[in-house]
């Protein structure tokens, strides 16, 4: 395998779906194959974007309107892409991102009520047609995901304190995006054990890029 397999891969899904576990596993696997891997989470991934993360995730639900959240997410995303993601891809590294633009389409757009056309217009304005080549959507019943979130010893952020209806809408929205873009999006049943989820992720990467992992 060579650096030619360089890929920008995003991981999406509801809270508690296991995205960060899978990113760690895939990063370790790629590195074991001699690949450079850059991982990032959104919002975040640079000191400034992490500061924006605290602003947008902290406080009570409703602190920001969905439209304001969208703007903050895109300020953070623009800097992350400019300073971390594009340079990494240009050097031939793999980039594994814990959430990307689909999160804005789902949380602020389809579940939050900002017209999807507006979210897409902002994306074009800020990032043009820059998007991941492959997106894994870790699909899980919201109740199961929230049980996992509650079992963590961390304080809940404002997105983790919303009502069940919001998470149901978000889940449906991800599945809709996957139907609209089947060549980019792979839906994975995240209720299965982490090893089974990892195996499906590895299979999909092998099938799409031809690289053996
Ligand atoms: P997480 O890192 O634990 O997944 O938390 C990030 C939260 O931010 C999550 O609830 C989804 C939310 N979010 C948005 O609402 N819009 C976005 O564009 C992004 C990247 C995240």
């Amino acid at each position: 395998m060579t650096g030619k397999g360089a890929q920008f891969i995003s991981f999406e899904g509801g809270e508690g779906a296991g995205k960060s576990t899978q990113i760690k596993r895939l990063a370790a696997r790629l590195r074991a194959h001699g690949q450079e891997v850059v991982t990032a989470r959104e919002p975040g991934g640079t000191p400034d974007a992490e500061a924006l993360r605290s602003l947008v995730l902290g406080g009570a639900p409703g602190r920001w309107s969905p439209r304001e959240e969208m703007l903050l997410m895109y300020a953070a995303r623009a800097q992350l892409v400019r300073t971390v993601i594009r340079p990494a891809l240009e050097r031939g590294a793999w980039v594994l991102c814990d959430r990307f633009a689909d999160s804005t389409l789902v949380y602020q757009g389809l579940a939050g009520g900002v017209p999807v056309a507006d979210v897409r217009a902002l994306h074009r304005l800020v990032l043009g047609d820059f998007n991941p080549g492959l997106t894994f959507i870790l699909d899980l019943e919201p109740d199961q995901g929230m049980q996992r979130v509650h079992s963590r010893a961390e304080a809940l952020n404002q997105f983790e304190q919303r009502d069940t209806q919001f998470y149901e809408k978000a889940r449906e929205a991800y599945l809709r995006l996957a139907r609209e873009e089947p060549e980019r999006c792979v839906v994975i049943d995240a209720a299965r054990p982490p090893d089974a989820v990892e195996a499906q992720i590895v299979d999909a990467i092998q099938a799409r890029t031809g690289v053996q992992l």
Side-chain angles (χ1 to χ4, degrees):
M1 194 169 77
T2 71
K4 282 187 201 139
Q7 284 279 346
F8 175 25
I9 303 176
S10 63
F11 290 72
E12 296 278 357
E15 348 297 300
K19 297 183 294 298
S20 53
T21 302
Q22 293 301 329
I23 288 173
K24 275 192 206 123
R25 288 179 175 222
L26 180 59
R29 189 180 282 266
L30 286 164
R31 287 182 182 126
H33 281 77
Q35 298 296 299
E36 184 192 349
V37 181
V38 172
T39 63
R41 67 170 180 182
E42 277 228 272
T46 72
D48 291 332
E50 289 290 331
L52 283 171
R53 179 187 178 91
S54 306
L55 262 184
V56 73
L57 267 56
R63 175 187 188 182
W64 305 99
S65 73
R67 206 171 268 278
E68 290 158 2
E69 285 172 1
M70 169 181 78
L71 293 169
L72 291 164
M73 298 295 179
Y74 265 92
R77 182 165 302 137
Q79 195 195 51
L80 178 69
V81 168
R82 175 173 60 82
T83 64
V84 175
I85 297 181
R86 275 195 202 276
L89 294 174
E90 278 161 16
R91 336 185 263 280
W94 293 68
V95 175
L96 310 183
C97 208
D98 189 338
R99 302 190 177 280
F100 196 68
D102 295 319
S103 282
T104 315
L105 268 176
V106 165
Y107 284 79
Q108 283 67 51
L110 292 156
V114 178
V116 166
D118 289 358
V119 184
R120 291 200 192 277
L122 181 63
H123 185 96
R124 265 194 305 281
L125 181 73
V126 176
L127 293 178
D129 61 0
F130 186 82
N131 262 310
L134 182 56
T135 296
F136 292 109
I137 295 174
L138 273 56
D139 179 54
L140 187 64
E141 287 275 350
D143 282 354
Q144 249 182 298
M146 286 316 288
Q147 271 173 24
R148 292 187 190 170
V149 168
H150 284 281
S151 69
R152 294 176 190 155
E154 292 163 21
L156 298 185
N157 70 46
Q158 63 111 336
F159 287 96
E160 292 162 345
Q161 301 171 42
R162 301 198 172 188
D163 57 26
T164 314
Q165 224 188 347
F166 182 85
Y167 303 124
E168 294 287 356
K169 267 194 203 165
R171 183 185 193 196
E172 281 312 307
Y174 273 123
L175 296 176
R176 176 172 152 188
L177 285 185
R179 284 194 298 274
E180 285 171 6
E181 287 189 71
E183 64 298 333
R184 175 173 67 87
C185 299
V186 177
V187 178
I188 300 207
D189 175 2
R192 292 172 309 149
D195 285 352
V197 172
E198 182 182 2
Q200 196 182 344
I201 288 173
V202 169
D203 281 351
I205 293 174
Q206 291 183 159
R208 279 163 200 247
T209 64
V211 298
Q212 289 305 305
L213 289 175

